[in-house]
Amino acid sequence: LEVDSMVPMTVKPGLYPARLGVQTESIEASPYMNHFALLGNPGTGKTTVARIIGRLLQERGILDTGHFIQVGRSDLVAEHVGGTAPKTREAIERAIGGVLFIDEAYSLYQDEGDPFGKECIAVLIEAMSSLRGRFVVILAGYPREMRDLLNANPGFLRRVKVIDIPDYSDDELAEIMRRMLWRDQCDPFIMENTFTFVKNLLTSRAVDANWGNAGEVEKI
């Protein structure tokens, strides 16, 4: 399967891609499998999307287990010479058969004066090619910072399918709150007036880059 990973794929929260960059007609053959970069603001469900990707690939027989290993910079990058490569390889080994999910992946590359971060990225990029089909790397983070990471490291950009996850709409936020209230068995009157409440709330609060989407609703 030939995939142009340079072209972003847009997905509304709750609607996940039907095709994840794999061919499943002949499972016996080693499939060409994409790695992914999930770009979204806080509270848009990046971790949930990553877990669903892993589960779908496992259900289709593409990944052996689909298990989910979540790591950050501190799990991959050492603070001393010679420590980063073994640390990164150990995380990759744990993810074989499943998903290596790197949250706030942009933190791996801080600047040109960060040799440990560059070493980590080099090990990851090599494994994404040499072990393709045996595990999936999913990078996640805020859109601007993630695009800086991808643009600074063409090796990543050539190996991932970029998925932009937009902010939730007013209707979607209202539905999220309704489901949370239903889960907590709230008073029916509150349930009936959820949409109006959320609409009023959104018009009275600043929605900027720090807006937490579903996280804001959960706090409320």
Side-chain angles (χ1 to χ4, degrees):
L1 176 67
E2 293 183 359
V3 177
D4 181 4
S5 61
M6 300 285 287
V7 179
M9 180 177 180
T10 301
V11 182
K12 290 296 288 181
L15 299 177
Y16 305 105
R19 295 182 64 220
L20 298 177
V22 298
Q23 290 275 6
T24 59
E25 295 175 0
S26 178
I27 296 300
E28 294 76 15
S30 296
Y32 177 96
M33 186 159 49
N34 279 312
H35 301 285
F36 299 89
L38 306 180
L39 281 56
N41 288 322
T44 50
K46 297 183 291 294
T47 303
T48 299
V49 173
R51 289 184 182 277
I52 289 174
I53 289 174
R55 188 165 70 244
L56 289 175
L57 291 175
Q58 189 276 327
E59 289 174 355
R60 289 170 177 254
I62 304 300
L63 288 175
D64 290 341
T65 64
H67 67 283
F68 193 82
I69 302 296
Q70 181 170 348
V71 296
R73 178 184 168 95
S74 63
D75 302 300
L76 303 174
V77 179
E79 297 302 324
H80 56 86
V81 175
T84 293
K87 201 171 184 179
T88 303
R89 292 192 184 103
E90 190 274 333
I92 292 169
E93 185 64 29
R94 287 192 292 128
I96 294 298
V99 171
L100 181 64
F101 177 71
I102 306 177
D103 196 18
E104 298 183 352
Y106 49 81
S107 67
L108 296 180
Y109 179 83
Q110 297 183 342
D111 53 49
E112 283 296 324
D114 178 23
F116 301 143
K118 292 166 70 174
E119 182 182 11
C120 170
I121 288 173
V123 172
L124 278 171
I125 288 175
E126 192 279 329
M128 289 166 74
S129 292
S130 64
L131 298 176
R132 186 186 289 275
R134 297 187 59 196
F135 82 123
V136 167
V137 173
I138 302 181
L139 311 169
Y142 304 152
R144 181 177 61 79
E145 290 86 344
M146 286 297 295
R147 293 195 185 282
D148 289 343
L149 171 69
L150 297 175
N151 290 330
N153 299 273
F156 272 150
L157 199 55
R158 290 195 300 269
R159 290 166 175 80
V160 301
K161 176 178 285 294
V162 177
I163 300 178
D164 286 301
I165 305 179
D167 290 336
Y168 287 102
S169 68
D170 292 359
D171 288 353
E172 289 164 337
L173 289 171
E175 176 62 16
I176 289 169
M177 181 170 282
R178 189 193 68 78
R179 293 188 184 195
M180 288 179 178
L181 294 173
W182 178 83
R183 179 193 63 196
D184 295 334
Q185 299 180 329
C186 281
D187 185 283
F189 175 79
I190 297 176
M191 297 281 288
E192 292 171 4
N193 291 276
T194 298
F195 181 74
T196 301
F197 174 75
V198 172
K199 288 279 286 186
N200 290 339
L201 183 69
L202 291 178
T203 57
S204 64
R205 292 182 61 161
V207 178
D208 53 23
N210 296 317
W211 174 250
N213 288 280
E216 295 286 342
V217 171
E218 188 170 28
K219 285 193 297 184
I220 294 165

